């Protein structure tokens, strides 16, 4: 899927399943976020992954 096509076809989701997300997918998402541009290339973000349903 092309980037522009993904942006144009995105949808908001407000109903989620209880199915857990695989660790490899979570790691890929964090890596994608780390590669995202930031203002003045500061890259001052922090990522946290919560998988415990009690904490979510």
């Amino acid at each position: 899927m092309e980037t522009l096509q993904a942006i144009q076809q995105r949808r908001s989701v407000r109903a989620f399943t209880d199915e857990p997300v695989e660790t490899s997918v979570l790691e890929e998402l964090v890596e994608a976020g780390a590669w995202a541009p930031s203002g003045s290339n500061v890259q001052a973000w922090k990522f946290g992954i919560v998988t415990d349903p009690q904490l979510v």
Side-chain angles (χ1 to χ4, degrees):
M1 178 179 286
E2 295 290 325
T3 304
L4 183 58
Q5 181 184 14
I7 292 169
Q8 291 171 336
Q9 294 179 354
R10 78 144 187 91
R11 300 289 178 259
S12 295
V13 176
R14 291 180 178 83
F16 303 97
T17 66
D18 290 335
E19 184 178 339
V21 179
E22 295 179 27
T23 303
S24 61
V25 173
L26 293 173
E27 291 171 352
E28 190 173 349
L29 288 169
V30 170
E31 182 177 356
W35 279 95
S38 62
S40 300
N41 201 27
V42 175
Q43 301 175 347
W45 45 65
K46 295 180 182 181
F47 299 99
I49 298 174
V50 180
T51 58
D52 183 352
Q54 296 279 338
L55 295 176
V56 173

